[in-house]
Amino acid sequence: MIKVVYEVVPHDGGWAYRLGGVYSEAFPTHAEALEAARIVAAEQQVGGDSAEISWQDENGKWHEEYAEGGDRPETEVVDGLWKDRPAEASQGI
């Protein structure tokens, strides 16, 4: 199973979530970016109709494949605000 990880990070004078090297729009606050990332991650869990899809990889090559509507990735949201801090900092100690 594929795992999709959204990371909330400082971006463009505010906060954004990113997947790989792609950033979302900038949000004014960390809380807004974190909520948006959680919403997007939850939407990844919703199944849909099976369909033929095309997508472009990181090298610019296009691929065609059949996607099962119920085959959804595992998702996670990583809060970049706490990622590099000691565990006690994230617990408010």
Side-chain angles (χ1 to χ4, degrees):
M1 176 178 278
I2 295 174
K3 183 171 185 176
V4 176
V5 179
Y6 297 95
E7 183 178 12
V8 177
V9 295
H11 179 65
D12 202 21
W15 290 87
Y17 60 86
R18 71 177 173 206
L19 175 59
V22 179
Y23 291 84
S24 71
E25 65 188 274
F27 294 89
T29 68
H30 172 266
E32 289 174 291
L34 184 59
E35 179 64 17
R38 288 178 176 154
I39 289 169
V40 170
E43 288 174 351
Q44 285 285 339
Q45 301 302 303
V46 178
D49 296 329
S50 298
E52 292 288 330
I53 62 168
S54 59
W55 54 278
Q56 187 175 26
D57 67 21
E58 63 275 359
N59 297 318
K61 182 178 178 187
W62 284 92
H63 303 267
E64 302 279 334
E65 65 183 57
Y66 181 77
E68 274 297 325
D71 185 18
R72 307 309 308 153
E74 178 183 351
T75 61
E76 179 181 1
V77 175
V78 175
D79 187 348
L81 183 64
W82 301 111
K83 186 177 99 173
D84 298 323
R85 297 187 183 185
E88 58 272 5
S90 65
Q91 296 171 0
I93 297 175

